[in-house]
Amino acid sequence: GAVVSQHPSRVICKSGTSVKIECRSLDFQATTMFWYRQFPKKSLMLMATSNEGSKATYEQGVEKDKFLINHASLTLSTLTVTSAHPEDSSFYICSATPTGGALFYGYTFGSGTRLTVV
Amino acid sequence: AQSVSQHNHHVILSEAASLELGCNYSYGGTVNLFWYVQYPGQHLQLLLKYFSGDPLVKGIKGFEAEFIKSKFSFNLRKPSVQWSDTAEYFCAVKDNDMRFGAGTRLTVKP
């Protein structure tokens, strides 16, 4: 149980275009999902907390107009990187935990999306 | 804000050696503690977690971790590593948010 699917796994886009990344909880409902960015040789960085039916909460320094998050249902959150630039190239990971189950589960992570902006 | 420190960036061991990876955090309140592993080319997987109770936590694949509250530490251990343990290991601490350490790359030589 507690499977999180993230799509696409890899994407290459041209500078200036937008890319949408999906994060789905396959067998549970997740009121809250999290988006992380993993820099080479550095820690995972929490970008934002995605809340179903309300606005996402962004971490300090993360541009909310650039990284649009939509959590329209209890099983789907999307991250759209708008007007992507080469410096946005990174590994993006989402995670979720079953609603009400945070005490009993570790957070389940998606498989990640490798974004390359050329 | 709380922080998580993993002091070892890269650890190289031979098979059958014992492993201990350090993790310290700065938050003084009640926290949940996790260790995650990321094998090459794969996504993060939960190794073990601590919420309360016995401070010695046993996880999958022979890993264990000990929560020492007085030292704000949650070190990961394994008595005898295998080549297949080669991966990146992340310590994480959660109060309201989940914070990760920088990760420790473990290379096990056959």
Side-chain angles (χ1 to χ4, degrees):
Chain A
V3 176
V4 174
S5 173
Q6 188 172 341
H7 178 81
S9 57
R10 293 180 181 274
V11 58
I12 300 172
C13 70
K14 291 185 177 181
S15 186
T17 61
S18 295
V19 174
K20 181 185 284 188
I21 303 170
E22 293 187 347
C23 181
R24 293 181 186 273
S25 56
L26 296 185
D27 52 1
F28 65 96
Q29 294 183 332
T31 306
T32 303
M33 294 186 179
F34 301 90
W35 287 96
Y36 297 87
R37 184 173 176 176
Q38 187 175 23
F39 293 93
K41 299 182 180 179
K42 292 188 178 180
S43 174
L44 283 170
M45 181 191 80
L46 177 64
M47 297 175 66
T49 302
S50 171
N51 301 296
E52 187 268 335
S54 64
K55 291 183 179 180
T57 304
Y58 290 83
E59 295 298 297
Q60 191 173 10
V62 178
E63 298 175 62
K64 62 181 181 180
D65 294 329
K66 181 168 190 61
F67 298 100
L68 299 179
I69 291 174
N70 184 282
H71 194 152
S73 76
L74 286 171
T75 59
L76 174 64
S77 175
T78 60
L79 169 68
T80 302
V81 183
T82 63
S83 187
H85 291 285
E87 58 265 29
D88 298 324
S89 298
S90 189
F91 194 64
Y92 295 87
I93 305 175
C94 69
S95 76
T97 195
T99 299
L103 288 179
F104 303 101
Y105 296 91
Y107 286 74
T108 301
F109 288 82
S111 55
T113 298
R114 171 69 62 187
L115 170 63
T116 304
V117 184
V118 298
Chain B
Q2 62 168 291
S3 64
V4 183
S5 299
Q6 288 181 247
H7 308 295
N8 312 105
H9 297 297
H10 191 187
V11 173
I12 303 173
L13 296 172
S14 297
E15 276 195 315
S18 64
L19 169 72
E20 181 160 3
L21 301 182
C23 174
N24 289 88
Y25 61 96
S26 63
Y27 186 65
T30 302
V31 294
N32 302 142
L33 302 162
F34 306 84
W35 274 97
Y36 286 90
V37 61
Q38 188 173 25
Y39 296 101
Q42 297 186 25
H43 58 88
L44 286 165
Q45 300 174 40
L46 178 67
L47 264 182
L48 48 80
K49 60 185 183 290
Y50 173 80
F51 291 125
S52 64
D54 189 343
L56 184 61
V57 179
K58 295 195 182 297
I60 61 172
K61 305 186 181 185
F63 286 92
E64 65 179 31
E66 184 175 11
F67 170 52
I68 303 179
K69 189 174 182 179
S70 61
K71 295 184 177 180
F72 297 92
S73 70
F74 190 56
N75 293 354
L76 180 72
R77 299 195 293 248
K78 185 170 183 177
S80 176
V81 295
Q82 300 173 315
W83 175 79
S84 57
D85 293 324
T86 294
E88 187 120 17
Y89 293 81
F90 292 91
C91 177
V93 177
K94 178 187 177 300
D95 53 347
N96 293 315
D97 299 317
M98 182 81 96
R99 304 290 176 183
F100 287 84
T104 297
R105 176 159 295 183
L106 172 64
T107 301
V108 180
K109 294 183 175 180

